[in-house]
Amino acid sequence: MDINTIIKPENLVYKRTECLTDRTLSYCPGCGHGVIHRIAMEVVEELGIQQDTIGVASVGCSVLAYDFMDIDMTQSPHGRATAVATGIKRCWPDKFVFTYQGDGDLAAIGTAETIHTCNRGENITIIFVNNGIYGMTGGQMAPTTLPGMRSSTSPYGRDVELMGNPIKMTELVAQLPGTYYATRQSVHKPANVRKAKMAIKKAFENQRLKKGTSIVEIVSNCNSGWKMTPVESNKWMEENMFPFYPLGDIKVDGQLVTKQ
Ligand SMILES: Cc1ncc(C[n+]2csc(CCOP(=O)(O)OP(=O)(O)O)c2C)c(N)n1
Ligand code: SF4
């Protein structure tokens, strides 16, 4: 079989969504950000809302998200993404507005914005990529760094006595009345990618129904910052991140999900 037979349209099994640009992603090979970009934009395409979606990129490795997502986007550094998204949504209540934030951005410099946005029940979608460290700036400890986890600023492992406990932001904001949907997903395996995509779709559909804030946390790797190969980092994530940050729904349709 020659190449021209293989690439016939009827043999097509995957096509990149037109909601992504042709730019080469700036992420490290093996990093979850690229997959999360793809599924977010596939959701936008499937819902037919490319012209009606406005994204807010934050600070961190995803600072250039507006180069990769072919929709209207702005950028709001230093944790202010949900505040900017609030303003955009209030000006254009019928647009689909989302933020794309790492844990350093959302759970450290943006703690106040995140909590108050959820508490106000702003009708937006928050995509929160939790890789447990500050990726872009060199792998420093973040509020989400696990106890004992090594980072460039906790080279002997996070000492809880000295550095405090990690914050489970999604559980925290799920307690707030304005948070309508809170879930934690991952993208390290095809089945998980599908679940994460369904969660992002639900979060966008909640906006159409004007239900309040939806937050989709995606536990991801930072293979460069964790100083591991992509395969090692996914294994490490399963063995260490998931027990502390269990995958699954935390609040659905405004109701907290009781874990058995
Ligand atoms: C001292 C200092 N504080 C804050 C910043 C802002 N800042 C730029 S990138 C970054 C890291 C963001 O990490 P995260 O949100 O976890 O995203 P990742 O790069 O891991 O995807 C921060 C905090 C900075 N550069 N220097
Ligand atoms: S430094 Fe980490 S978070 Fe940033 S692109 Fe590389 S692997 Fe991804």
Side-chain angles (χ1 to χ4, degrees), residues 224-240:
S224 294
W226 295 358
K227 308 207 183 312
M228 296 175 195
T229 65
V231 172
E232 286 167 354
S233 70
N234 281 340
K235 190 161 181 289
W236 193 91
M237 180 172 69
E238 279 186 330
E239 290 171 355
N240 297 277

Side-chain angles (χ1 to χ4, degrees), residues 16-33:
R16 192 174 62 162
T17 164
E18 288 180 6
C19 295
L20 285 174
T21 66
D22 286 337
R23 294 286 292 268
T24 304
L25 293 173
S26 49
Y27 305 115
C28 306
C31 173
H33 275 308

Side-chain angles (χ1 to χ4, degrees), residues 186-204:
S186 73
V187 291
H188 67 305
K189 289 185 175 171
N192 296 84
V193 173
R194 280 196 288 276
K195 280 191 198 164
K197 183 175 164 182
M198 278 162 53
I200 293 173
K201 196 173 223 176
K202 187 173 177 60
F204 273 86

Side-chain angles (χ1 to χ4, degrees), residues 28 63 81 86 92 98 102 107 109 114 122 132-133 165 168-169 172 175 181 206 253 259:
C28 306
V63 66
T86 296
W92 288 291
F98 74 96
I109 23 184
T114 308
E122 299 294 344
I133 56 165
N165 291 287
K168 295 183 180 179
M169 267 316 264
L172 194 153
Q175 304 299 321
Y181 177 48
N206 288 339
D253 297 344
K259 296 260 186 287

Side-chain angles (χ1 to χ4, degrees), residues 22 48 92 107 120 154 161 255:
D22 286 337
W92 288 291
R120 293 192 303 271
S154 57
E161 293 272 312
Q255 300 296 318

Side-chain angles (χ1 to χ4, degrees), residues 33-122:
H33 275 308
V35 180
I36 303 166
H37 277 29
R38 170 170 69 80
I39 58 175
M41 289 303 100
E42 284 177 356
V43 166
V44 168
E45 182 180 46
E46 286 167 20
L47 294 176
I49 55 173
Q50 187 174 6
Q51 302 302 323
D52 291 314
T53 302
I54 304 173
V56 185
S58 60
V59 76
C61 287
S62 56
V63 66
L64 298 176
Y66 47 78
D67 275 348
F68 310 129
M69 299 183 184
D70 198 4
I71 52 170
D72 285 334
M73 285 199 78
T74 186
Q75 195 258 342
S76 173
H78 303 138
R80 313 300 175 239
T82 62
V84 169
T86 296
I88 294 171
K89 185 74 181 187
R90 287 185 179 205
C91 290
W92 288 291
D94 294 328
K95 296 286 183 192
F96 293 82
V97 180
F98 74 96
T99 67
Y100 189 101
Q101 302 174 262
D103 48 274
D105 183 90
L106 178 143
I109 23 184
T111 323
E113 281 74 8
T114 308
I115 289 174
H116 288 289
T117 300
C118 292
N119 195 44
R120 293 192 303 271
E122 299 294 344

